[in-house]
Amino acid sequence: GESVGLHLPTLSVQEGDNSIINCAYSNSASDYFIWYKQESGKGPQFIIDIRSNMDKRQGQRVTVLLNKTVKHLSLQIAATQPGDSAVYFCADLNNQGGKLIFGQGTELSVKP
Amino acid sequence: NAGVTQTPKFQVLKTGQSMTLQCAQDMNHEYMSWYRQDPGMGLRLIHYSVGAGITDQGEVPNGYNVSRSTTEDFPLRLLSAAPSQTSVYFCASRESSYNEQFFGPGTRLTVL
């Protein structure tokens, strides 16, 4: 079956450094990808999305890169802050837009 | 707008009991979904709906029923609760396929 998975379950970075969180997907027909942030005890919060006709999209301090050749997605956070500490999920939209399937998640820890 | 609301916030059931988790949104979104999240894991899709009167199964539908009689409401029913259904349940909605998905605050369910 399909899967959207992450390479690393945990990531620890120094405050001020850049963070890179990776995600692999298996369905070559997937055409929409989203990154979510989830803080402890809360629901996931949308960060940024990207359509499959794009390679890169930038937001405020965040950039998502999409490599369709190797079915790989990454989230880059610039100048990581303590408030960025959370679990980050990638999600993949398939089945003609109905199902939004989530990956396992990466826990980002920011050291002061 | 209240966004996506879920009730109750917490619930304890005994094995075999039934209950309904409520979800409502006031954003006139067509798409609604139910996910469960187990400790240290990602979100798994239970059921979803792309409009009133239309529902479909997600990744882990067994033991759960849904209906979508109105655009606003998407209740999740547990017919005969089992300890394996102990989890945090999130409801989510979005306007259409390629739009940001908003999550509710979650319902923490324990089945004894």
Side-chain angles (χ1 to χ4, degrees):
Chain A
E2 292 187 24
S3 66
V4 178
L6 300 182
H7 292 303
L8 297 173
T10 61
L11 177 66
S12 183
V13 300
Q14 204 71 36
E15 181 178 358
D17 287 351
N18 295 336
S19 303
I20 299 176
I21 301 171
N22 295 304
C23 179
Y25 64 96
S26 58
N27 184 3
S28 57
S30 297
D31 61 356
Y32 182 55
F33 305 88
I34 311 102
W35 281 100
Y36 282 89
K37 173 185 180 183
Q38 186 177 28
E39 296 174 306
S40 181
K42 296 183 179 179
Q45 182 181 11
F46 174 92
I47 302 173
I48 192 167
D49 59 0
I50 188 167
R51 296 287 296 266
S52 60
N53 60 353
M54 302 172 68
D55 297 323
K56 178 180 180 179
R57 191 160 189 224
Q58 289 184 291
Q60 187 176 8
R61 281 201 307 118
V62 295
T63 300
V64 55
L65 299 178
L66 176 62
N67 185 331
K68 295 180 286 293
T69 303
V70 295
K71 300 195 194 76
H72 184 267
L73 189 70
S74 69
L75 176 71
Q76 300 178 0
I77 305 174
T80 312
Q81 302 168 0
D84 295 326
S85 293
V87 178
Y88 290 80
F89 294 98
C90 64
D92 160 80
L93 198 66
N94 54 54
N95 192 25
Q96 298 177 339
K99 298 181 182 179
L100 188 64
I101 303 296
F102 281 72
Q104 182 183 5
T106 293
E107 183 172 8
L108 176 66
S109 175
V110 182
K111 297 177 289 187
Chain B
N1 287 351
V4 181
T5 57
Q6 292 183 239
T7 56
K9 285 187 167 53
F10 302 93
Q11 183 70 50
V12 179
L13 293 177
K14 294 182 180 178
T15 297
Q17 286 185 315
S18 63
M19 81 157 296
T20 299
L21 306 185
Q22 301 292 344
C23 175
Q25 53 90 10
D26 60 358
M27 297 173 282
N28 202 32
H29 286 173
E30 290 296 324
Y31 287 61
M32 296 187 74
S33 301
W34 275 103
Y35 294 86
R36 61 176 288 174
Q37 186 174 33
D38 299 317
M41 295 183 67
L43 291 92
R44 291 184 291 172
L45 181 65
I46 305 172
H47 286 285
Y48 68 102
S49 170
V50 299
I54 306 168
T55 63
D56 206 346
Q57 295 181 348
E59 302 170 277
V60 288
N62 292 341
Y64 307 95
N65 278 353
V66 292
S67 60
R68 185 93 182 271
S69 56
T70 67
T71 299
E72 295 78 20
D73 301 298
F74 192 42
L76 178 72
R77 282 182 285 276
L78 284 71
L79 300 177
S80 179
S84 61
Q85 294 179 304
T86 294
S87 190
V88 179
Y89 290 84
F90 289 101
C91 180
S93 76
R94 65 188 194 272
E95 185 175 352
S96 62
S97 289
Y98 302 103
N99 286 107
E100 176 181 350
Q101 179 157 272
F102 297 86
F103 282 82
T107 293
R108 186 173 295 274
L109 176 68
T110 301
V111 182
L112 304 176

